[in-house]
Amino acid sequence: MKRVFSGVQPTGNIHLGNYLGALKQFVELQDDNECIYCIVDLHSITVPQDPKELRSHILDVAALYLSVGIDPKKSIVFVQSDVSGHSELSWILTCSAYTGELSRMTQFKDKSRGKESAPAGLFMYPVLMAADILLYDTDIVPVGNDQKQHIELCRDIAIRINNKYKKTFVVPDGRFLKEGARIMALDDPTKKMSKSAENIHSRISLLDEDGKIKKSIMRATTDSDGEIRFDPENKPGVSNLLTIYSVLSGKSIDDVVASFAGSGYGDFKKELVEITKEALLPIRQNFSEIRESDELKAILRDGAERAGAIAEKTMKRVKDNFGIGF
Ligand code: AQP
């Protein structure tokens, strides 16, 4: 069995991009692997958060994990800050990471652009992510395309440390889907769909009501050419909608394009609204019950204990190999 690790930040409600790029993989992988899924709250405080809202979002994301089909009997589900090994290992890795490589990370550049000064945590984010992964001797990391650079850095740090000290870490592989790995914003298909974008119609959150789903899709940016064709370079808006349609319906993009030959964007969008409503309804229905149940916190406590036991073993090995602690 391979060990799988991944996480989502509790920075808002999970959207279709998070779901199609990452969470769908989480669910698929849990039958044949040992999966550990984390709510990465320490990552979320790299940008300002309202403490009350953050607490609530942590439980929302946990409930959404379970609502989409992550089964706590099969997978470990827990909150990052409940296992101290993440922060501890992060410092140790920091000492083997270079400022040059960190300053090349595009996510850091994007999130700090235009600011006179950025929080050091934003700069160190990829090292904490490497610690999350390496702490569990992870083989596979299912993520969206936007995390490719961070996974590469994690691998580089692990290899560097393995070469310098005794073999300490398993070198993980990223797992990226062919379709869905990068869902674009509905209002601007040159940007990725994001939880923190100001325009709520740039994304579809998994908890959006039918009316909101319809509004966001019907006003999604397309182009003036009128033909339904998959061409991400020249027709990014339509191609993004085709990808969403394909992944949610289980049909290939070619089949979707063929079935809309001669139709206009309006008809295509109306169909996509129906497909999306159908896909999200069961998630929304599961969510209300799970979010209110006392069991949710018990699942997170149990998950933290199980994750903590694995982390403790890794930290002992790391400290031994580095010659620190007593
Ligand atoms: N647009 C996307 N398409 C496909 N996958 C995506 N992911 C994020 N956006 C897309 C994947 O979802 C997982 C969880 O992401 P995250 O919450 O840890 O952080 P993020 O990548 O920064 O996501 P957001 O939604 O853009 O959040 P904010 O706005 O808070 O920064 C990851 O596997 C990610 O690749």
Side-chain angles (χ1 to χ4, degrees), residues 6-9 11 15 17-18 21-22 40 107 111 125 142-147 180-184 192-197:
S6 198
V8 172
Q9 295 187 70
T11 40
H15 53 69
N18 303 132
V40 289
Q107 184 171 300
K111 293 205 169 178
Y125 181 111
V143 278
N145 255 351
D146 59 317
Q147 296 300 326
R182 193 174 185 84
I183 300 296
M184 309 310 283
K192 77 164 186 135
M193 189 177 281
S194 166
K195 289 188 223 91
S196 51

Side-chain angles (χ1 to χ4, degrees), residues 88-218:
E88 202 178 359
L89 184 58
S90 180
W91 173 253
I92 294 172
L93 301 186
T94 296
C95 299
S96 290
Y98 298 122
T99 52
E101 59 192 356
L102 291 175
S103 53
R104 284 194 292 276
M105 295 293 117
T106 51
Q107 184 171 300
F108 170 70
K109 287 194 216 166
D110 287 348
K111 293 205 169 178
S112 60
R113 185 164 295 130
K115 298 195 175 95
E116 214 170 274
S117 177
L122 203 55
F123 188 64
M124 299 311 302
Y125 181 111
V127 181
L128 178 60
M129 179 168 156
D132 300 338
I133 297 165
L134 301 180
L135 190 58
Y136 297 101
D137 291 335
T138 303
D139 300 296
I140 302 168
V141 191
V143 278
N145 255 351
D146 59 317
Q147 296 300 326
K148 247 186 189 158
Q149 211 186 12
H150 291 165
I151 300 285
E152 270 315 306
L153 181 75
C154 171
R155 288 170 55 86
D156 289 347
I157 295 174
I159 293 169
R160 191 175 299 152
I161 290 175
N162 285 349
N163 288 338
K164 191 167 173 199
Y165 300 86
K166 266 195 258 170
K167 183 176 179 305
T168 305
F169 296 120
V170 171
V171 180
D173 284 308
R175 187 177 190 269
F176 311 95
L177 293 177
K178 197 167 151 269
E179 273 162 22
R182 193 174 185 84
I183 300 296
M184 309 310 283
L186 298 178
D187 62 335
D188 178 357
T190 62
K191 294 191 182 133
K192 77 164 186 135
M193 189 177 281
S194 166
K195 289 188 223 91
S196 51
E198 225 161 84
N199 180 3
I200 58 161
H201 293 294
S202 67
R203 62 184 166 267
I204 291 176
S205 295
L206 298 193
L207 298 177
D208 278 351
E209 300 286 339
D210 287 354
K212 157 71 174 58
I213 295 174
K214 184 173 176 193
K215 239 186 205 164
S216 300
I217 292 179
M218 293 312 288

Side-chain angles (χ1 to χ4, degrees), residues 165-169 316-324:
Y165 300 86
K166 266 195 258 170
K167 183 176 179 305
T168 305
F169 296 120
K316 174 152 186 2
R317 185 177 72 231
V318 172
K319 285 180 176 175
D320 280 349
N321 291 358
F322 274 72
I324 56 173

